[in-house]
Amino acid sequence: ARLREAGNRTAVVMLTGDDTAATATAAARGGAFHYVTKPFQPNLLCDAVDLAVRHTAVHRDLARPGGPGGDETSGLLVGRSQAMTELRRMVTKVAGANVSVLVVGESGTGKEVVARALHQASTRSRKPFVPLNCGAIPEGLIDSELFGHTRGAFTGATSARPGVFLEADGGTLFLDESGDMPLPVQARLLRALQEREVRAVGSDGVRAVDVRVIAATNVDLGKAVQDQKFRADLYFRLNVVNLRVPPLRDRPEDIPALIATLLARHADTRTLTVDEEALEVMMMY
């Protein structure tokens, strides 16, 4: 408590033989970051110390001029963790190569953000970036979304539509939740990638396209191939380069910079900050 009163934000881990609830509560109210009782398991104590180190680093980051994140807040891939540093390095390295990329990670980890970063760092950055969520489209309409359709090709097709391959011509096509595509659609997608041409639904002709495909999935496509739910040939064509996006729980030190970026993005002309106690709650969560 005296450290806190003096403004010292060093994380304190309390190790004690007193396991009463009253002592634990007093330690928490006094500002202890963690409370470990004896006899203790070494791995649990190491985990507590590791979290405490990250916690202290976060507050040092907050105390720096300009707040957390520094120059990184202006970029798409925000964070100073080792995982994000390596991901940025890989994005920079891969962006210039005109190859397909498979971005994997849990839902909400920012796979589309990685895809946009790849596009912006590539020679295609002046051309369109077109995202398509394959899992949100009914099976009967996904061919039309991908390859387009002619007028009258099916009931309700009152006008022709180009499809995302033609919309992304010269640029980047981002296929999100690609593991949800039905097998027949996978076959037609593979042909489009191999031949670099698409045939609109209801059309007799083909159109040449120049598109870089970045696919994303939150499922294990390797296992899906084994289970015969995903074509092996399409998997190998999409998985030329594999980028994994770590969940935020594995890189909590990135949370302040991420919050600062989102505040700056949505604050308009206002200057917004997060209360330190609120930030601590989010860090612990």
Side-chain angles (χ1 to χ4, degrees):
R2 290 191 182 124
L3 284 171
R4 294 293 175 265
E5 290 170 3
N8 190 323
R9 301 302 304 178
T10 299
V12 176
V13 178
M14 183 172 180
L15 178 63
T16 175
D18 185 353
D19 61 356
T20 61
T23 302
T25 301
R29 287 179 176 172
F33 173 76
H34 213 296
Y35 178 92
V36 181
T37 59
K38 303 175 184 177
F40 62 89
Q41 297 180 31
N43 62 315
L44 296 181
L45 180 59
C46 287
D47 287 344
V49 172
D50 180 61
L51 286 172
V53 169
R54 294 186 181 191
H55 181 270
T56 301
V58 163
H59 284 282
R60 287 176 178 168
D61 199 20
L62 285 171
R64 291 172 183 160
D71 293 338
E72 295 170 6
T73 57
S74 62
L76 287 173
L77 300 177
V78 177
R80 291 175 173 166
S81 65
Q82 182 177 351
M84 289 305 294
T85 300
E86 175 63 14
L87 184 58
R88 279 194 299 271
R89 186 187 72 81
M90 288 296 295
V91 166
T92 301
K93 184 176 180 180
V94 172
N98 193 29
V99 296
S100 298
V101 178
L102 181 63
V103 185
V104 298
E106 298 175 19
S107 294
T109 50
K111 296 186 289 295
E112 183 172 343
V113 176
V114 173
R116 289 184 181 274
L118 281 166
H119 174 72
Q120 288 190 9
S122 74
T123 57
R124 297 174 178 265
S125 59
R126 297 183 180 275
K127 296 293 184 177
F129 174 89
V130 180
L132 179 68
N133 187 338
C134 301
I137 303 171
E139 183 174 348
L141 295 178
I142 193 167
D143 274 312
S144 173
E145 290 289 335
L146 284 169
F147 312 121
H149 63 255
T150 61
R151 180 180 179 182
F154 50 84
T155 302
T158 57
S159 61
R161 181 173 180 176
V164 292
F165 263 93
L166 286 177
E167 290 176 9
D169 194 19
T172 303
L173 175 59
F174 174 60
L175 300 177
D176 198 8
E177 305 303 348
S178 53
D180 294 337
M181 281 188 294
L183 283 168
V185 177
Q186 293 177 29
R188 291 187 282 274
L189 174 60
L190 177 64
R191 178 176 176 79
L193 295 177
Q194 289 175 334
E195 305 297 332
R196 295 183 176 271
E197 60 184 25
V198 295
R199 183 190 302 273
V201 178
S203 173
D204 294 329
V206 296
R207 293 274 302 273
V209 289
D210 173 24
V211 171
R212 181 187 196 178
V213 172
I214 300 174
T217 181
N218 61 358
V219 301
D220 185 345
L221 285 188
K223 186 176 185 303
V225 169
Q226 292 179 349
D227 295 339
Q228 298 184 339
K229 295 180 179 179
F230 201 86
R231 292 180 62 104
D233 44 10
L234 179 59
Y235 171 65
F236 288 118
R237 181 164 287 273
L238 294 176
N239 193 33
V240 177
V241 175
N242 188 293
L243 296 180
R244 181 171 296 277
V245 188
L248 199 56
R249 65 177 177 274
D250 290 347
R251 48 186 182 95
E253 59 268 44
D254 291 341
I255 292 174
L258 183 60
I259 291 173
T261 299
L262 294 173
L263 283 178
R265 184 179 301 168
H266 298 292
D268 297 325
T269 58
R270 296 169 292 170
T271 300
L272 300 180
T273 58
V274 174
D275 179 83
E276 187 171 323
E277 291 184 6
L279 178 62
E280 287 189 17
V281 171
M282 286 186 276
M283 290 289 295
M284 292 303 296
Y285 182 79

